[in-house]
């Protein structure tokens, strides 16, 4: 299938690199930022398209890597053109928009894959497999951490920091762990969250307590709070018969200690897996094969929507100071 | 200085007696423990004189007494010790309800004795350096704290920890007070508590074994406390005390018991264990208590510290049962 990428920012580039590791025919990119798009196509051997409709005409699958507030419009257009869609997370800014996108794709007979990439990180996948095999018994308390630095204003046009465009830190960043917790724990009953903002600037730090209908509870920590370049993730999953611990602080197969250039961190923090299989390539390859062979996705657009629902409930809890029942 | 231990029900009694024996000028007169079989065993194991009744030990004339009974029995022993004009070091949580805790304060005041709450973590270099970093402004304005006090179920060491009557609760009652106290010490009083509390790890037990608290302090800092008994009994150690303080200018990550060796031994109770080589905060805590007795002054950690931390634990239970944020004002 021919794949066209919309957007040439951080995720456009990460996805282009990912697609290059699959058998997809990566045809080109359309982006509002022509200069950035040109650099991207030069790097990954594809061409720039000058309109969305031109890209749609020449693609079988559209990969939407634009800021979240544009997802809905792009997905609806792709569905109307009869093209399959890979859409970056979060699916949308509201549950209603997400539902509309899912329904539009269903009616058009095209597939919609929401790129919940954490499900393709090997340590998160393996943890789930171990739990599914009963290695830690019944799940009790989950602890998940995803704290990064503040997205760099000068490199990212600030849209991550604009809640109207990104949904904010909970919807853009913490959604990964809301999704992962739901993958392990099932449906959420109740959410309580708190967030503190920097006295100056866009820094923020949040903590959310989730209670699941089947019993487990989770503490999810997220933030744009660390010094530039620092991004830490961790999981701690405890059950009646055992425990799984992992932290990005732990030693990696390779560690290097070098003099770093001033301001060398990327616009927005991305966790790395340190393994040969790039999780972004894995998720794109999975989506590609599932579409090609008409097989179910391992993570559905509905899952992406439910993760959004939890993130929005957490945001509501922060605003009201009260727990939110789903 | 003549000291005694009132009850060996709490396993910390074993650690305290070992430290006290090494301190010059300290005479550990003995301990009281009502269960004869257990009492004999402790007496033989540690070479200590056992008194069947706390009154018998107090009749020996002590300068200070450490209360190491089950939580629900603290009050009765504190009353006896105060009336015997003994300075008191009381295990945490100081009581299982506020009424008992308030009665302790009253009896100590009436008899002119000082009450120290056993919060050893205040005496750990790790928690002290975090306090200095916060106070010195190195972390900038603080967003929040991620606090963890995990352990295995303490039942294997002492059954009463999982007995609601004697302990007053489970993991929340056992662990919340340590981190609540450190947070108060760093930032001031707690204003609101939200908590999810349940027994998720030991279906047969009658107490909570899982607890997640999300609290707010009066200065606006938010903090989570995970007090769960979520470490398996085959974990390399009893558990840990960790804290991450996230601020606008930096983050400090604390793991108070990070100084350990990995031991893989055929002989040890655990196939893989973490054997600590860091400073023992109990030793410094006992040092402060003894110094306060010598200098006839109040100890640095008093009754109010134990009381305020207990309020947080009790508020967590109230929040969990109502699924609502609980204001600490309700608990006085």
């Amino acid at each position: 299938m021919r794949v066209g990428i919309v957007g040439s920012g951080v995720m456009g580039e990460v996805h282009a690199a990912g697609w290059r590791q699959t058998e997809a025919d990566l045809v080109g990119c359309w982006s509002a930022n022509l200069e950035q798009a040109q650099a991207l196509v030069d790097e990954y051997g594809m061409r720039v398209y000058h309109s969305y409709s031109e890209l749609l005409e020449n693609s079988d699958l559209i990969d939407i890597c634009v800021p979240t507030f544009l997802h809905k419009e792009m997905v609806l257009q792709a569905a109307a053109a009869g093209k399959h869609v890979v859409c970056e997370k979060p699916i949308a800014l509201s549950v209603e928009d997400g539902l509309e996108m899912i329904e539009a794709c269903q009616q058009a007979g095209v597939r919609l894959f929401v790129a919940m990439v954490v499900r393709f990180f090997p340590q998160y996948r393996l943890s789930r497999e171990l739990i599914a095999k009963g290695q830690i018994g019944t799940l009790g308390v989950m602890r998940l951490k995803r704290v990064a630095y503040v997205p760099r204003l000068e490199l990212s046009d600030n849209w991550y920091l604009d809640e109207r465009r990104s949904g904010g830190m909970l919807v853009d960043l913490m959604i990964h762990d809301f999704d992962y917790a739901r993958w392990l724990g099932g449906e959420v009953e109740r959410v309580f969250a708190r967030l503190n903002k920097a006295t100056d600037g866009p820094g923020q730090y949040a903590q959310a307590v989730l209670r699941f209908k089947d019993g487990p509870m989770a503490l999810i920590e997220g933030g744009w709070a660390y010094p530039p370049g620092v991004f830490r993730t961790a999981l701690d999953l405890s059950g009646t018969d055992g425990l799984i611990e992992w932290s990005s602080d732990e030693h990696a197969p390779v560690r290097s200690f070098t003099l770093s250039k001033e301001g060398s961190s990327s616009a927005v923090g991305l966790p790395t897996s340190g393994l040969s299989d790039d999780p972004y390539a894995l998720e794109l390859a999975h989506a590609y094969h599932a579409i090609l062979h008409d097989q179910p996705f391992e993570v559905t657009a509905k899952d992406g929507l439910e993760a959004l629902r939890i993130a929005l409930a957490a945001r509501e809890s922060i605003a009201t100071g009260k727990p939110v029942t789903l | 200085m003549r000291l005694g231990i009132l009850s060996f029900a709490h396993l910390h009694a074993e650690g305290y007696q070992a430290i006290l024996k090494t301190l010059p000028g300290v005479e550990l007169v003995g301990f009281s423990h009502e269960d004869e079989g257990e009492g004999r065993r402790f007496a033989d194991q540690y070479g200590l004189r056992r008194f069947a009744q706390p009154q018998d030990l107090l009749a020996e004339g002590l300068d200070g007494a450490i209360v190491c009974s089950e939580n629900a029995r603290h009050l009765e022993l504190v009353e006896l010790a105060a009336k015997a004009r003994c300075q008191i070091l009381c295990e945490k949580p100081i009581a299982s309800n506020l009424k008992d805790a308030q009665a302790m304060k009253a009896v100590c005041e009436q008899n002119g004795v000082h009450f120290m709450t056993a919060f050893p973590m205040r005496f750990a270099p790790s928690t002290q350096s975090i306090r200095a970093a916060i106070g010195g402004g190195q972390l900038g304005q603080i967003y929040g704290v991620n606090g963890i006090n995990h352990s295995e179920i303490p039942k294997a060491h002492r059954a009463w920890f999982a007995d609601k009557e004697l302990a007053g609760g489970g993991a929340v009652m056992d662990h919340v007070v340590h981190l609540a106290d450190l947070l108060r010490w760093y930032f001031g009083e707690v204003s609101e508590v939200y908590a999810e509390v349940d027994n998720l790890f030991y279906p047969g037990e009658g107490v909570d074994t899982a607890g997640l608290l999300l609290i707010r302090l009066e200065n606006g800092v938010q903090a989570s406390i995970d007090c769960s008994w979520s470490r398996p009994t085959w974990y390399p150690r009893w558990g840990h005390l960790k804290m991450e303080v996230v601020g606008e200018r930096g983050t400090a990550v604390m793991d108070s018991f990070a100084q350990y060796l990995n031991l893989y031994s055929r002989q040890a109770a655990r196939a893989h264990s973490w054997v600590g080589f860091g400073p023992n905060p109990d030793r410094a805590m006992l040092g402060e208590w003894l110094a306060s007795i010598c200098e006839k002054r109040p100890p640095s950690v008093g009754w109010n510290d134990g009381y305020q931390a207990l309020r947080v634990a009790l508020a967590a239970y109230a929040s969990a049962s109502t699924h609502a944020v609980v204001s600490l004002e309700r608990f006085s």
Side-chain angles (χ1 to χ4, degrees):
Chain A
M1 289 186 291
R2 296 168 302 164
V3 172
I5 297 178
V6 185
S8 55
V10 175
M11 293 320 298
E13 174 153 16
V14 168
H15 278 208
W19 285 116
R20 272 286 167 249
Q21 297 175 55
T22 71
E23 63 205 58
D25 177 14
L26 188 57
V27 293
C29 170
W30 171 66
S31 164
N33 185 336
L34 257 182
E35 198 184 325
Q36 202 183 41
Q38 192 59 51
L40 189 66
V41 299
D42 290 347
E43 172 81 23
Y44 294 97
M46 47 181 181
R47 55 163 290 198
V48 169
Y49 286 88
H50 293 277
S51 72
Y52 188 31
S53 55
E54 196 189 351
L55 181 70
L56 281 169
E57 272 169 39
N58 290 282
S59 305
D60 305 303
L61 193 166
I62 287 291
D63 181 5
I64 294 171
C65 297
V66 291
T68 310
F69 73 105
L70 299 168
H71 285 180
K72 178 180 161 184
E73 190 189 324
M74 299 275 166
V75 169
L76 294 184
Q77 283 184 51
K83 309 297 179 180
H84 299 298
V85 182
V86 169
C87 181
E88 244 316 303
K89 48 52 60 179
I91 181 171
L93 292 177
S94 73
V95 171
E96 295 71 31
D97 283 357
L99 264 177
E100 192 181 333
M101 291 154 70
I102 291 170
E103 281 164 11
C105 289
Q106 271 169 355
Q107 277 164 17
V110 299
R111 304 285 302 276
L112 171 61
F113 179 79
V114 178
M116 304 299 297
V117 74
V118 166
R119 294 205 189 198
F120 294 85
F121 273 72
Q123 63 276 51
Y124 288 80
R125 257 186 120 69
L126 179 59
S127 295
R128 181 165 190 280
E129 281 167 24
L130 292 171
I131 291 169
K133 283 183 196 155
Q135 295 281 293
I136 66 164
T138 305
L139 194 57
V141 178
M142 297 177 248
R143 301 181 56 83
L144 300 167
K145 177 198 294 292
R146 191 165 304 272
V147 183
Y149 51 95
V150 176
R152 296 180 59 195
L153 308 184
E154 72 279 17
L155 298 182
S156 65
D157 148 48
N158 202 7
W159 73 268
Y160 286 107
L161 306 176
D162 180 356
E163 191 164 301
R164 287 162 306 174
R165 288 189 279 170
S166 70
M169 194 273 293
L170 278 97
V171 169
D172 191 73
L173 184 67
M174 291 178 76
I175 195 165
H176 286 297
D177 295 294
F178 293 137
D179 175 59
Y180 186 67
R182 181 178 163 270
W183 198 25
L184 300 183
E187 297 307 325
V188 171
E189 165 94 28
R190 197 163 45 246
V191 180
F192 180 73
R194 286 194 187 281
L195 177 141
N196 264 337
K197 287 188 170 158
T199 45
D200 178 28
Q204 53 192 285
Y205 175 75
Q207 294 164 308
V209 174
L210 269 52
R211 192 66 201 266
F212 293 82
K213 290 197 164 80
D214 288 342
M217 54 181 80
L219 179 82
I220 298 179
E221 190 196 4
W224 290 331
Y226 290 156
V230 181
F231 192 169
R232 298 168 71 227
T233 51
L235 58 80
D236 184 296
L237 309 166
S238 49
T240 51
D241 291 323
L243 166 71
I244 297 170
E245 295 176 317
W246 174 81
S247 160
S248 60
D249 292 352
E250 285 159 28
H251 52 259
V254 174
R255 287 186 293 164
S256 50
F257 306 93
T258 59
L259 294 168
S260 63
K261 268 190 285 184
E262 195 68 33
S264 58
S265 50
S266 72
V268 61
L270 297 176
T272 51
S273 74
L275 293 172
S276 59
D277 291 327
D278 169 15
Y280 298 93
L282 287 174
E283 72 170 340
L284 295 174
H286 166 69
Y288 186 86
H289 286 282
I291 293 170
L292 196 61
H293 302 295
D294 202 22
Q295 286 163 353
F297 295 128
E298 287 178 15
V299 50
T300 65
K302 178 82 182 352
D303 292 325
L305 187 69
E306 291 308 314
L308 174 65
R309 199 190 298 276
I310 301 167
L312 293 172
R315 226 173 60 182
E316 184 190 335
S317 172
I318 288 164
T320 61
K322 291 177 178 159
V324 173
T325 302
L326 290 175
Chain B
M1 188 181 303
R2 290 165 61 77
L3 304 175
I5 298 175
L6 298 176
S7 173
F8 249 57
H10 200 293
L11 70 160
H12 288 170
E14 296 171 51
Y16 297 151
Q17 65 84 27
I19 294 168
L20 291 174
K21 281 177 185 165
T22 68
L23 298 177
V26 168
E27 183 193 347
L28 182 55
V29 174
F31 70 97
S32 66
H33 197 78
E34 281 156 12
D35 184 286
E36 193 175 337
E38 284 177 0
R40 280 231 172 99
R41 185 159 59 77
F42 295 131
D44 290 347
Q45 194 173 348
Y46 300 113
L48 292 173
R49 193 168 158 209
R50 173 202 167 229
F51 297 79
Q53 296 300 325
Q55 291 91 336
D56 302 338
L57 172 56
L58 291 165
E60 296 283 313
L62 304 179
D63 298 300
I66 308 180
V67 175
C68 283
S69 66
E70 301 86 345
N71 301 338
R73 293 196 55 212
H74 285 175
L75 172 60
E76 121 193 27
L77 295 175
V78 165
E79 282 176 336
L80 289 171
K83 286 172 184 165
R85 303 291 157 108
C86 268
Q87 305 303 319
I88 294 164
L89 174 64
C90 182
E91 256 309 321
K92 47 55 57 176
I94 60 168
S96 53
N97 62 71
L98 295 180
K99 198 166 141 270
D100 280 9
Q102 286 156 356
M104 289 171 172
K105 182 189 185 207
V107 75
C108 288
E109 282 176 356
Q110 280 156 20
N111 292 281
V113 300
H114 295 303
F115 180 104
M116 180 171 183
T117 303
F119 280 142
M121 295 317 297
R122 284 213 196 188
F123 299 89
S126 56
T127 67
Q128 292 170 346
S129 94
I130 294 282
R131 186 167 188 258
I134 295 168
Q138 282 137 271
L139 305 178
Q141 184 75 29
I142 304 302
Y143 294 114
V145 179
N146 197 38
I148 304 173
N149 193 179
H150 284 152
S151 78
E152 60 189 5
I153 189 168
K155 203 183 162 177
H157 307 285
R158 297 287 198 274
W160 68 266
F161 276 97
D163 181 323
K164 193 157 193 296
E165 289 295 308
L166 292 171
V172 168
M173 197 46 105
D174 186 27
H175 279 171
V176 163
V177 293
H178 282 299
L179 282 164
D181 179 60
L182 292 176
L183 290 166
R184 286 186 61 248
W185 192 39
Y186 293 168
F187 302 111
E189 298 302 334
V190 172
S191 59
E192 289 179 343
V193 176
Y194 177 84
E196 293 285 353
V197 178
D198 209 337
N199 174 15
L200 297 180
F201 294 104
Y202 297 90
E205 299 295 342
V207 291
D208 49 291
T209 58
L212 294 174
L213 281 66
L214 203 40
I215 73 178
R216 189 176 166 82
L217 290 126
E218 283 178 357
N219 74 345
V221 168
Q222 64 185 58
S224 61
I225 296 178
D226 184 344
C227 60
S228 305
W229 288 343
S230 55
R231 302 305 94 172
T233 51
W234 51 94
Y235 199 63
R237 192 179 56 204
W238 55 268
H240 42 228
L241 188 119
K242 297 180 179 181
M243 198 186 260
E244 299 197 7
V245 183
V246 185
E248 291 182 29
R249 297 199 53 78
T251 289
V253 178
M254 181 191 88
D255 179 357
S256 283
F257 300 99
Q259 292 159 299
Y260 61 78
L261 301 176
N262 284 289
L263 171 68
Y264 304 86
S265 166
R266 221 186 277 283
Q267 276 79 39
R270 304 171 198 243
H272 170 212
S273 50
W274 293 336
V275 187
F277 58 84
N280 181 350
D282 286 350
R283 179 175 288 276
M285 178 183 75
L286 290 171
E288 161 60 12
W289 183 52
L290 298 178
S292 75
I293 296 174
C294 283
E295 295 159 19
K296 302 193 191 322
R297 62 166 170 84
S300 64
V301 188
W303 171 86
N304 187 54
D305 298 305
Y307 179 72
Q308 297 300 343
L310 177 62
R311 288 173 76 207
V312 177
L314 294 173
Y317 284 117
S319 169
S321 66
T322 55
H323 307 317
V325 177
V326 167
S327 166
L328 257 274
E329 284 167 16
R330 277 183 47 201
F331 287 84
S332 51

